[in-house]
Every structure is written in C-alpha cells, then in structure tokens.
C-alpha cells in the first residue's frame, strides 16, 4: 500500500519503510545521486526522492523525466536539504507511465498557455492550489448549511421555466432538426418533453417551493447562461449556491450572506495555508511595486475582508456616490452615470468597493425594472427588496432578495413580463404563502477572490465560454 505525500509529511516517522506514487516534477542527476521531486496531488508540497544512479538501468534513468509517473519504495529519512524536513531514500523504483514530449516543463508557463492544456494543468503548482481550495470551499459550504439545519436540495438541470426571466437560455432538445410549423416556427410538442425546455439558469424557483415545506434549503450545482459575455467574470456553465429560507426578510438574508462568506474565508485560511502561501507568493512575484493601484497582497486581503463588517447602502445612495465620483466627473467610466434607473456595471461596483468603502459592500433596494420578476416590491412602488454583495477585484459575487409573496403583485409582474410555465410557482403563493428570502453565490467568482486569480477560466476545471469548449 502506498502512502499519500501529505500523510508522510504530516505523520511520517523517520526510518519507516514507505511507498509513494506520483508524477515527476523535476530531476537532477550527478554521478553519485539522482534527485527526483515527486508530487501526487494530495498537497502543495513535493517529496524529494534520492537514489543512486548505479541502481537504476540506463534506459529507465533516461525515462525519468518531468511528467512521467512512478512508484518508489524506500525509507523516510531526515533531509539534509533546507527545502524539506524529510525525503525518501529510494530502494526500488517502477516507471508506471512514460511521458515523452510532455508539454509542461518545469518552468513558469503563462496562464493563457495553460488554458490550451486544461486537461494537463491540474499537474501544476498553481492549478493544484486552486482546485484544492475550490474543493475546500465546496466542502465548507455543505458544512455551513448542514450545521444551521438547512437541507441540501437537488434542483433540476433541465427546466421549462426561465427563472431569471432574462432569456439567456440553452435549449434542450432530443431532435436533430426540430420539426417546424408551416409558418416556420419550431413545434416543441414533437420534442422529447412535448414542450420547450432548457438548461437551468438558477435553481431558485424550485428551492422556493421546497423551502415552503422544508423551511430552509440550499441548492448547489451547475447553472447555465447563454449570455454572450466574454469577460474574465463570466462563464456559460458556472456553479451557484442558492439558499432559500422561509420567514426570512431581506435583512436576515444579508446577515446570512455575510456569515456564509466569512465562514468560507475563515475555513480556507485555516485549512489551506500552503496553497494560500503559494498563491500569495505567485502574486507577489508579479507585483509592480511602483504601481500604487496594486491590491493588497492575498494574505492581507483575505483576513482584512474577514475582519471588517460589510458596508451597506441603497442603490439610490450608491448612485449618488457614483455620480459624484472622480472617474465619473473626468469621463473615465466606460459607462457614465446617466441617472436613477440605470444598471450598475462592474466598473461602478468595483469603484464603490475598492475606492469608496474599501471593503465589501451590500447594495439594496434596486429599481424594479432592472431586477428579476420574483423580487418583492417595496412600498415606494419603484424599488424591490433586492441585495447584491460586491467584492474587491470582482464586483457582484452574490445576488439575492426577499421574494414577492403577495399573489396579486406577483401575478401582475408575471403577466407584464410574459413569463411562461409558472403556474406551479404561483401555487406556492396560493397555498399558505409566507415571506421568504434567499440569494445566489457564484462559486467560481468566490474562488477567484480567494485564490487571487484574475480570470474565471482559471478557477473552474473545464471552462465553457462563448465559442469555446476545450474538452
Ligand atoms: O444575480 P444572479 O443572476 O441571481 C440569481 O440567479 C438568483 N436566482 C439567485 C437567488 O436569489 N437564488 O446570479 C447570482 C450569482 C452572481 O452574483 C454571480 O456571482 C454568479 O451568480 N453569476 C455568474 N458567475 C459566473 N458566470 C456567469 N455568467 C454568472 N452569472 C451569475
Ligand atoms: Mg445578479
């Protein structure tokens, strides 16, 4: 039985007989010794294996190159080197898989270049760190909700309702060429589900129905949007966590959102120190000390966000701040602030967070015209009980609201916006309606923040973006 490198580094006893399996990161060789650094993905650190070249056949020695996989048995010894506390003195080595022409050499490849090898980039230090952190966050999400009595709900991926009413949908069909009416329109009755269906843009509507029986639920899964947004913050397939809570109002949901984000930050700081150290150093190496707009180093940024309460303002207040902001007055915003009712762009969100408040900001009470149909109308008749959480370097990381629980209000919006297939949803208001609230956290955007990576394509294993499905 082989042992994971993580376990050897934590619990290994010197002189113990061990077997490790992994991939060669580097090889150094001289007449007396071969040094191999091996990584098996269990942790950030490599393990150094030391062997005598004369013990290895020449052909085997030539095959020990970066990317090849090996099994090594030997004994764990205290290391003479300064980089590691222990190393393995190998007695026996088996080559598991050769790697001629392996493209990832032990030098820094650009992230753009690694995006052309998404299937191999898991074997680099950077992506090892990112995906171990992504796992830790996902695990902590379940932990957070379970501890608070929420039930994990699997909401469907194929749906008939457009939850956000935005129309950015991927159609689902089993037909090669959908039959058309004489007028040229597609006839969905002949398709698999006898009606138009698509990939879900949000599990919220299903979660609302469940919250009205189970009290507090969360859904956590892949979400699909056919927006043609080729930005560093948008994916066509991304992961969203959506809690939905019966009897919660807008304030309660803001408190829940802040508690979740801080719990996750704290979890990663405590459980992924080696990964964070590596990513922090990576950013420091790229840092331009002359540039005063450089953000705080990662290892200062995360504790800073954890330690400070999020700022809270209304949309109307946000707009007044932005109207008065230097970049607006000097014409530096790509989208100038034109007046009340306009949607906030990520440059505006980032101005509020990075320049004005210098910490995460929760913006509430947006104009109803720019928000989804299900948000609860405020007494002013103009705004809805919405909230967006804005993060440094990212902009919007969470979108949520109190839901419209009043049947007459909801029906009026549904009719006005022509949203189809919502009869079942209206039933939740017909029978025992209640105030309730929830939000959606974009997992990928949160991983972006925690890892300090700059492009969302670098925090999801296999990114899907307009015109691009690498594998
Ligand atoms: O603000 P959004 O559209 O809200 C909803 O979908 C609600 N149904 C959530 C709810 O109340 N249950 O999306 C929520 C979050 C955004 O704040 C953002 O972090 C992320 O999902 N998001 C995306 N992430 C990556 N790529 C995209 N194309 C995204 N669109 C939204
Ligand atoms: Mg939103």
């Amino acid at each position: 039985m082989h042992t994971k490198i993580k376990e050897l580094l934590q619990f290994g006893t010197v002189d113990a007989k061990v077997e490790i399996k992994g991939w060669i990161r580097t090889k150094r060789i001289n007449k007396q010794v071969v040094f191999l650094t091996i990584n098996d993905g269990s942790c950030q650190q490599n393990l150094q294996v030391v062997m005598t070249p004369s013990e290895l056949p020449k052909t085997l020695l030539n095959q020990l190159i970066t990317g090849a996989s090996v099994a090594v048995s030997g004994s764990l010894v205290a290391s003479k080197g300064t980089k590691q506390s222990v190393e393995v003195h190998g007695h026996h080595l088996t080559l598991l898989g050769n790697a001629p022409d392996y493209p990832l050499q032990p030098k820094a490849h650009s992230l753009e270049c690694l995006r052309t090898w998404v299937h191999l980039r898991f074997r680099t230090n950077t992506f090892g760190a990112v995906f171990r952190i992504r796992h830790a966050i996902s695990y902590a999400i379940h932990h957070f909700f379970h501890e608070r009595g929420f039930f994990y709900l699997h909401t469907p991926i194929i749906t008939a309702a457009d939850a956000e009413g935005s129309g950015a949908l991927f159609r689902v069909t089993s037909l090669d060429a959908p039959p058309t009416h004489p007028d040229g329109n597609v006839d969905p009755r002949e398709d698999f589900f006898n009606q138009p269906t698509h990939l879900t843009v949000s599990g919220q509507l299903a979660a609302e129905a469940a919250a009205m029986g189970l009290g507090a639920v969360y859904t956590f899964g892949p979400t699909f949007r056919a927006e043609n947004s080729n930005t560093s913050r948008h994916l066509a397939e991304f992961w969203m966590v959506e809690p939905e809570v019966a009897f919660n109002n807008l304030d309660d949901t803001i408190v829940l959102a802040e508690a979740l984000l801080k719990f996750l930050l704290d979890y990663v700081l405590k459980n992924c120190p080696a990964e964070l150290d590596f990513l922090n150093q990576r950013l420091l190496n790229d840092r331009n000390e002359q540039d005063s707009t450089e953000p705080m180093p990662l290892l200062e940024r995360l504790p800073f966000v954890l330690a400070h309460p999020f700022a809270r303002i209304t949309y109307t207040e946000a707009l007044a701040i932005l109207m008065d902001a230097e970049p607006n007055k000097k014409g530096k915003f790509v989208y100038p602030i034109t007046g009340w009712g306009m949607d906030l762009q990520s440059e505006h969100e980032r101005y509020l967070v990075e320049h004005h408040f210098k910490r995460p900001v929760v913006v509430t009470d947006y104009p109803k015209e720019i928000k989804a149909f299900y948000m609860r109308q405020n007494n002013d008749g103009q705004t809805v009980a919405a909230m967006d959480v804005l993060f440094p370097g990212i902009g919007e990381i969470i979108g949520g609201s109190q839901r419209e629980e009043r049947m007459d209000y909801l029906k009026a919006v549904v009719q006005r916006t022509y949203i189809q297939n919502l009869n079942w949803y209206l039933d939740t208001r017909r029978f025992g309606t209640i105030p309730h609230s929830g939000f959606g956290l974009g997992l990928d955007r949160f991983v972006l923040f925690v890892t300090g990576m700059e492009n969302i394509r670098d925090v999801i294993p296999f990114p899907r973006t307009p015109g691009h499905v690498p594998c």
Side-chain angles (χ1 to χ4, degrees), residues 371 388 396 399:
K371 286 293 180 189
D388 276 6
E396 181 193 335

Side-chain angles (χ1 to χ4, degrees), residues 164 225 349 370-371 374-375 387-388 396-400 440 445:
E164 291 301 299
R225 300 210 179 161
E349 297 172 340
I370 57 171
K371 286 293 180 189
Y374 51 71
M375 296 190 179
M387 66 99 165
D388 276 6
E396 181 193 335
I397 202 160
I398 281 183
R445 289 194 188 172

